[in-house]
Amino acid sequence: MTQKNVIAVYPGTFDPITLGHEDIVHRATQLFGTVIVAVAAGHHKKTLFSLEDRLAMVREAVAPYAQVSVDSFGGLVRDFVVANGGKAMVRGLRAVTDFDYEFQLAGMNRALMPEVETVFLTPGDKFQFISSTFVREIALLGGEVEKFVSPGVLARLAQKVQEQKILPQA
């Protein structure tokens, strides 16, 4: 049952977007009429991919979903959610270890925007262990990550690995 009039925001760094993230987007489209994937500028994290690259990867990944749009944000996610009329914020939970942080974050977000609900979604079993951090590390160390990302993301990761080999190591 989709809530056609509810706008949900799925924020994250998506560095890179994984099949787990894509699964959460799919699940969110089953619940909400509009889903906005909000790609964080990443001021607090050193990202492997530029904001433009991350936006392009996310747009490619969500292209099959007409009700999903992609935008970037800097600063507080609260400001982005409110400015876009969001009534729900989607957060993915992979394991119990994610819950404590996400629960605290949901509480803080409720204090900042009481009119917005946080909805926790879990990815399918085969995606529960995938994290962008693991994917980046495995790829940069020469490991195989094709089981964890879409073909477009895989190609971009391969390019990044090549660039890292060319650059002098510090």
Side-chain angles (χ1 to χ4, degrees):
M1 177 169 143
T2 304
Q3 295 297 319
K4 298 285 183 203
N5 59 342
V6 176
I7 297 171
V9 176
Y10 178 28
T13 308
F14 304 105
D15 186 39
I17 188 168
T18 68
L19 294 177
H21 293 126
E22 291 183 39
D23 191 54
I24 294 295
V25 169
H26 171 74
R27 291 170 189 282
T29 64
Q30 305 304 299
L31 299 172
F32 304 106
T34 301
V35 177
I36 304 169
V37 180
V39 181
H43 62 43
H44 61 290
K45 293 183 178 180
K46 184 181 184 311
T47 58
L48 178 63
F49 291 97
S50 69
L51 178 59
E52 295 74 24
D53 286 343
R54 290 182 284 127
L55 285 165
M57 286 186 284
V58 173
R59 285 187 178 116
E60 182 180 308
V62 303
Y65 304 104
Q67 75 270 43
V68 178
S69 63
V70 180
D71 203 353
S72 64
F73 74 97
L76 291 175
V77 71
R78 177 208 59 180
D79 296 337
F80 181 88
V81 172
V82 170
N84 285 278
K87 294 296 175 199
M89 188 160 47
V90 173
R91 299 295 296 171
L93 288 177
R94 292 178 307 240
V96 174
T97 53
D98 290 344
F99 183 77
D100 187 49
Y101 170 78
E102 291 293 342
F103 185 76
Q104 291 177 44
L105 186 61
M108 192 59 101
N109 283 328
R110 179 169 287 138
L112 293 172
M113 49 184 177
E115 69 285 358
V116 176
E117 291 296 330
T118 298
V119 177
F120 297 116
L121 297 177
T122 58
D125 294 346
K126 63 183 177 179
F127 305 120
Q128 286 188 347
F129 61 91
I130 301 173
S131 81
S132 293
T133 301
F134 289 160
V135 167
R136 282 193 314 271
E137 289 177 11
I138 293 166
L140 290 170
L141 292 171
E144 298 172 359
V145 294
E146 62 271 356
K147 300 184 273 208
F148 313 128
V149 296
S150 66
V153 172
L154 183 62
R156 286 183 172 91
L157 275 166
Q159 183 180 356
K160 282 290 181 189
V161 168
Q162 279 306 111
E163 290 171 7
Q164 295 287 326
K165 288 179 181 176
I166 295 169
L167 296 173
Q169 300 298 313

